[in-house]
Each structure stands twice: as structure tokens, then as C-alpha cells.
Amino acid sequence: MEEQAVIRALGALAQETRLRILRYLVTMGPAGAAAGDISQEVGASASRTSFHLSTLADAGLINATRASRSIIYRVDFDAMGGMIGYLVRDCCKSDPRVTTCC
Amino acid sequence: MEEQAVIRALGALAQETRLRILRYLVTMGPAGAAAGDISQEVGASASRTSFHLSTLADAGLINATRASRSIIYRVDFDAMGGMIGYLVRDCCKSDPRVTTCC
DNA sequence: CTCCTATTTCAACTTTTGTTGAAATATAAT
DNA sequence: ATTATATTTCAACAAAAGTTGAAATAGGAG
């Protein structure tokens, strides 16, 4: 992952509602969750949730697929791994104080 | 590391100049670097660099110590590890697609 | 086709973040 | 004391991000 993509991903996660959305989607695994469910889960309005979902999707951290009337969102674990790998390796030169944490 | 601290740390890194500062400080290791050197290295004005250094320090990712007229900044690798550990474990439940990256 | 549900888009607005250059502070050298 | 160096702080401004509620779009059911 290149620097600009990493910056977007970091910015996407640096927000309470979005971090909660991501955590929720992680727990939902491959099944994912519909926008409406996410909205309820994180206690945010539909439009606010939609905005944050777009931000996460633009950053490549989640994917959207339509299923009938709902739109299902899922975590892109590879993108998360890409971002974290950048931080650990490119940024922190795989310093042991960093790598031991994972 | 708790959620709010993680959000601050993510926000601190989600900016080009600050990410560059952190990368530079990682390469400098325990010796660290003076604000002026960092300013030159990243090509930012003194006040802009000072602002970004404060942001990183407030987020706990770097530390400052005075050495004569200069102020030396160093990466706090444990804080970086704390932030990354949160992403990997609390956030991604240590999913293999994430942990294999580090 | 009309109605209902799910979600997004939009415009107006508020808040937060980043930039600039000048002034202030702190330390050291002469 | 005076001067020079290193860095921060400040106020003014510019730009980006987040919130709100209403309207628009898309798909399915009657």
C-alpha cells in the first residue's frame, strides 16, 4: 500500500463512529451488515451513517454489495492488513517494540 | 491503549507531513532529531513543523526533550505498538489476513 | 403503476484542522 | 548586557471534515 492510500485509511479510522462501524463489521465477518443495521448498531442517523460508510469505502477499508433493497458492507481485511503492514514495516522498520504487539 | 487515545494517534498520523516526520524519527532511532533538522528534512516552515510536532506529541507518539537550544524529538515505539496492537487485536480480532502482515 | 422500505445525495451550516508570518520565549556566545 | 540561534506561540485566515434534515434514487410488494 502506498503512502497516500495509507493516509486515507488512517484518516478514515480516526473517527469514533467510523471506528465503531469497522469494529462492528469485523464481528460480523463475511456475512457483513446492511447499512440500516449498522446505523442502528452505532446509533447514528441514516445519512450520517451513509456518509461515514462512504468514507470507509473510499479509503478501501470496506466493500459494498447490494442485496435486494439493502446494501451490505463488509470489512476488507486485506486492506486493513495492508495499512497495518505499512505502519509496522515501512514506518516502524519492524521494530520489536511494535511487532511484539501483534 | 483506549479508543480515544487510538483515535488521536490515528488522526495524528493521517497527514502527509506528520507521517514523514514520524518516518524520519524512526530512522533516527534513540538519537532522535532536533526540531530544526526535522523542519529541513520534511521541507516545512519552523512554525508549521512545530505545530505538527505538537500534534504528534499530544497524541503520545513522540517525546520531546530539551538539549541546550535545541529540542530533540524521538519516536515512542511503545505508543506506536499500543496503537497498532489495538488495531490488530481489539479491532481486527487478530484475523490472520491482518497478523500475517507483521 | 403506486406504495413502501432502504439507502444515498444534497445544500446549508458548524466545527475542526492546517497554513502563514510576525512576535515571544529560551538558551548560549561574545 | 547584547546579539544570535532554536523553537514555540499567536492571531488571522483558508481549507477540510462532520452534522442536519429534506429530497432523490433504487428495489420490491400489492
Side-chain angles (χ1 to χ4, degrees):
Chain A
M1 198 181 257
E2 336 117 10
E3 182 173 288
Q4 283 308 313
V6 171
I7 287 173
R8 281 165 70 96
L10 289 168
L13 288 183
Q15 210 273 353
E16 197 171 342
T17 303
R18 289 196 296 263
L19 192 55
R20 272 201 299 218
I21 290 174
L22 193 106
R23 280 164 63 94
Y24 177 55
L25 288 180
V26 166
T27 69
M28 300 306 281
D37 295 346
I38 298 169
S39 176
Q40 273 221 298
E41 172 71 24
V42 305
S45 73
S47 78
R48 217 172 121 219
T49 304
S50 178
F51 168 74
H52 288 308
L53 286 170
S54 301
T55 304
L56 285 166
D58 288 348
L61 297 175
I62 64 176
N63 304 115
T65 58
R66 181 174 278 280
S68 169
R69 268 182 291 198
S70 298
I71 295 183
I72 307 296
Y73 287 91
R74 294 179 184 81
V75 175
D76 186 328
F77 282 99
D78 293 322
M80 284 295 293
M83 183 196 77
I84 293 169
Y86 179 94
L87 290 177
V88 172
R89 290 194 304 267
D90 298 71
C91 206
C92 289
K93 309 269 181 189
S94 299
D95 186 283
R97 280 161 294 184
V98 173
T99 53
T100 52
C101 302
C102 23
Chain B
M1 199 180 255
E2 335 117 10
E3 182 173 285
Q4 284 307 314
V6 171
I7 288 173
R8 280 165 70 95
L10 289 167
L13 288 184
Q15 210 274 352
E16 197 172 344
T17 303
R18 289 196 296 264
L19 192 55
R20 270 202 299 218
I21 289 174
L22 194 105
R23 279 165 64 94
Y24 177 56
L25 288 180
V26 166
T27 69
M28 299 307 282
D37 295 346
I38 297 169
S39 176
Q40 273 221 298
E41 173 71 23
V42 304
S45 73
S47 78
R48 214 171 122 220
T49 304
S50 177
F51 168 75
H52 288 308
L53 286 169
S54 301
T55 304
L56 286 166
D58 288 350
L61 297 175
I62 64 176
N63 304 114
T65 58
R66 182 174 278 278
S68 170
R69 268 180 293 198
S70 298
I71 296 184
I72 307 297
Y73 287 91
R74 294 179 184 82
V75 175
D76 186 328
F77 282 99
D78 294 322
M80 285 295 292
M83 184 196 78
I84 293 169
Y86 179 95
L87 291 177
V88 173
R89 291 194 304 266
D90 298 70
C91 206
C92 288
K93 308 268 182 189
S94 300
D95 187 282
R97 280 161 292 183
V98 173
T99 54
T100 51
C101 303
C102 23

